Amino acid sequence: MTEKSTALSHLKVLDLTRVRAGPTCCRVLADFGADVIKIEAPQGFDPNAGMSGARHGYDMLNLHRNKRSMTLNLKKPEGRALFLRMVKTADVVVENFRPDVKDRLGIGYDDLAAVNPRIILASISGFGQDGPYARRAGFDQIAQGMGGLMGVTGMPGGVPIRAGAAVADSSAGIFAATGILVALAEREKSGQGQWVATSLLEAQIALMDFQAARYLVDGDVPPPAGNDHPYVTPMGVVETADGYLNLGVGGQGQWVAFCNVIDQPELAEHPDYATDTARFAHRGALWDHLRPVFAQRTTADWVLALEAGGVPAGPIYTMDEVFADPQVRHLGMAAPVHHPVRGETALVATPIKMSRTPPSVHASAPDAGAQTDEILAEYGLSPEEVAQLRAAHTI
């Protein structure tokens, strides 16, 4: 099994999260070696259990690797008291309840800071901690729609299309992890913790980046452009003799090189296509001219020819083709791990390289409560006390 990362091994994280955004945040910290304790309700006490699929399913395995798991009923006074006892020596608490839930449970930021002023609470919600939508339940696709992604995704004149991955969830988790790391760095100066908050809606809007800035700066509402780049041509998908190709001609130098690759150097000086602005104005005609050209050769042939000419291009893979690609194999994006039920398998690696303290996938996702006794012993509870808590359904 891969060796555990040492980068964040000095940190203890209490993970109260579920579904995707919160678990993604905690997974980032766990992959870098933080002791992440996944706190789950005892069996039968969580009406939303199973929202990430089967316990030994691919999603749970990928989201919760490198963590330890214990069960704890926070609705019981004894459970809350035990949690606050854990908070005293923790560095970070992460939760993605609806904003009012933590206050109702008595584990809001002020409650945590009262027992540990150095604690960092990270909260991830659907729409923010306050405001008119604060108590709404939020899901990734809803945030994709309200954050503008679906408004620019799809074919011109067609219906809005969701992205094929949980863009808002995943980015909210990564933004939360970033906020936690900033708060930890600041704590080195001040000695104080703080409350870090983000939401699916905020994360999705931030991820819109230039499309959002396009509206804020110029007042221009970007429409869906299908597979074409919003303002650069030719940059998009073109059909080849055996499939499809992503083509990216991103400037005047690449345009001239591209025309040479397709053996039409005179096209570079054509008045309709000689400049970026002209090419965009005549986008439809240019693609009509290029389609029969690309239909003459295979995707692999075009990728090699365009690479030789310094023009960005790439194939469009299905997921099996992604992990068969030699560059993906070289990057190690399939991280091997052993699971006691699934056996030898692989999960999606953390996409960060570090020269001394790299991330790792060192342990499979635990079963619910697998380390409850072990963790409570670390907090000084005797086997008899643990047995009493279990009998009372507190754990």
Side-chain angles (χ1 to χ4, degrees), residues 193-260:
Q194 58 183 302
W195 187 11
V196 177
T198 189
S199 67
L200 273 62
L201 181 59
E202 291 167 282
Q204 180 60 80
I205 294 169
L207 212 64
M208 293 306 292
D209 194 49
F210 73 91
Q211 295 281 44
R214 178 178 173 182
Y215 168 71
L216 291 174
V217 175
D218 290 342
D220 187 13
V221 178
N227 287 316
D228 283 329
H229 189 277
Y231 54 81
V232 176
T233 297
M235 186 176 290
V237 175
V238 63
E239 190 168 4
T240 66
D242 65 346
Y244 294 89
L245 173 81
N246 260 324
L247 175 67
V249 181
Q252 202 61 23
Q254 289 182 2
W255 168 245
V256 173
F258 168 74
C259 292
N260 288 329

Side-chain angles (χ1 to χ4, degrees), residues 19 26 33 88 111 119 145 152 172 221 271 307 320 326 344 350 370 380 387:
V19 191
C26 295
K88 287 182 181 180
D111 301 300
I119 197 70
V152 299
V221 178
E307 179 185 5
D320 55 335
E344 300 304 320
T350 298

Side-chain angles (χ1 to χ4, degrees), residues 99-100 125-137 195 199 201-202:
D100 58 313
S125 61
F127 302 97
Q129 293 298 306
D130 46 35
Y133 303 158
R135 295 197 178 189
R136 285 188 186 179
W195 187 11
S199 67
L201 181 59
E202 291 167 282

Side-chain angles (χ1 to χ4, degrees), residues 49-64 339 342 365-367:
M51 288 185 69
S52 293
R55 190 76 193 193
H56 299 152
Y58 60 86
D59 206 13
M60 289 290 288
L61 297 190
N62 197 51
L63 283 169
H64 298 293
H339 186 267
R342 301 295 295 264
D367 283 346

Side-chain angles (χ1 to χ4, degrees), residues 323 328-329 331-336 346-349:
F323 287 101
V328 175
R329 287 178 176 271
L331 293 170
M333 286 305 298
L347 302 172
V348 184

Side-chain angles (χ1 to χ4, degrees), residues 317 322 324-333:
Y317 287 150
V322 170
D325 183 275
Q327 182 66 23
V328 175
R329 287 178 176 271
H330 171 78
L331 293 170
M333 286 305 298

Side-chain angles (χ1 to χ4, degrees), residues 72-369:
L72 185 63
N73 190 343
L74 292 171
K75 293 181 180 180
K76 284 181 168 286
E78 301 85 355
R80 177 182 179 273
L82 182 52
F83 177 72
L84 292 178
R85 180 173 172 177
M86 296 174 71
V87 168
K88 287 182 181 180
T89 55
D91 295 283
V92 180
V93 173
V94 186
E95 60 87 15
N96 62 347
F97 302 127
R98 278 192 277 190
D100 58 313
V101 171
K102 60 183 169 296
D103 296 320
R104 200 163 64 239
L105 292 173
I107 56 171
Y109 177 68
D110 290 341
D111 301 300
L112 306 187
V115 299
N116 180 1
R118 290 174 57 84
I119 197 70
I120 292 159
L121 171 63
S123 297
I124 306 171
S125 61
F127 302 97
Q129 293 298 306
D130 46 35
Y133 303 158
R135 295 197 178 189
R136 285 188 186 179
F139 284 100
D140 177 82
Q141 185 162 338
I142 296 170
Q144 286 193 30
M146 294 180 66
L149 179 60
M150 292 176 67
V152 299
T153 305
M155 302 306 292
V159 299
I161 300 293
R162 69 182 293 276
V167 177
D169 268 337
S170 296
S171 58
I174 294 168
F175 281 130
T178 303
I180 289 168
L181 295 174
V182 171
L184 287 166
E186 192 279 337
R187 194 177 71 176
E188 293 298 309
K189 296 188 299 180
S190 68
Q192 298 293 307
Q194 58 183 302
W195 187 11
V196 177
T198 189
S199 67
L200 273 62
L201 181 59
E202 291 167 282
Q204 180 60 80
I205 294 169
L207 212 64
M208 293 306 292
D209 194 49
F210 73 91
Q211 295 281 44
R214 178 178 173 182
Y215 168 71
L216 291 174
V217 175
D218 290 342
D220 187 13
V221 178
N227 287 316
D228 283 329
H229 189 277
Y231 54 81
V232 176
T233 297
M235 186 176 290
V237 175
V238 63
E239 190 168 4
T240 66
D242 65 346
Y244 294 89
L245 173 81
N246 260 324
L247 175 67
V249 181
Q252 202 61 23
Q254 289 182 2
W255 168 245
V256 173
F258 168 74
C259 292
N260 288 329
V261 170
I262 65 171
D263 295 322
Q264 296 186 28
E266 70 284 354
L267 194 64
E269 302 301 324
H270 190 290
D272 286 350
Y273 313 129
T275 66
D276 292 337
T277 302
R279 287 193 293 280
F280 185 73
H282 298 92
R283 168 181 276 175
L286 180 55
W287 277 122
D288 287 343
H289 179 87
L290 294 177
R291 286 190 188 98
V293 175
F294 277 90
Q296 296 171 16
R297 299 169 66 177
T298 67
T299 296
D301 284 345
W302 278 119
V303 169
L304 290 174
L306 291 161
E307 179 185 5
V311 179
I316 299 172
Y317 287 150
T318 54
M319 198 53 65
D320 55 335
E321 294 170 323
V322 170
F323 287 101
D325 183 275
Q327 182 66 23
V328 175
R329 287 178 176 271
H330 171 78
L331 293 170
M333 286 305 298
V337 68
H338 176 79
H339 186 267
V341 174
R342 301 295 295 264
E344 300 304 320
T345 186
L347 302 172
V348 184
T350 298
I352 302 172
K353 300 291 187 287
M354 298 184 72
S355 62
R356 289 192 301 103
T357 57
S360 70
V361 178
H362 65 270
S364 60
D367 283 346

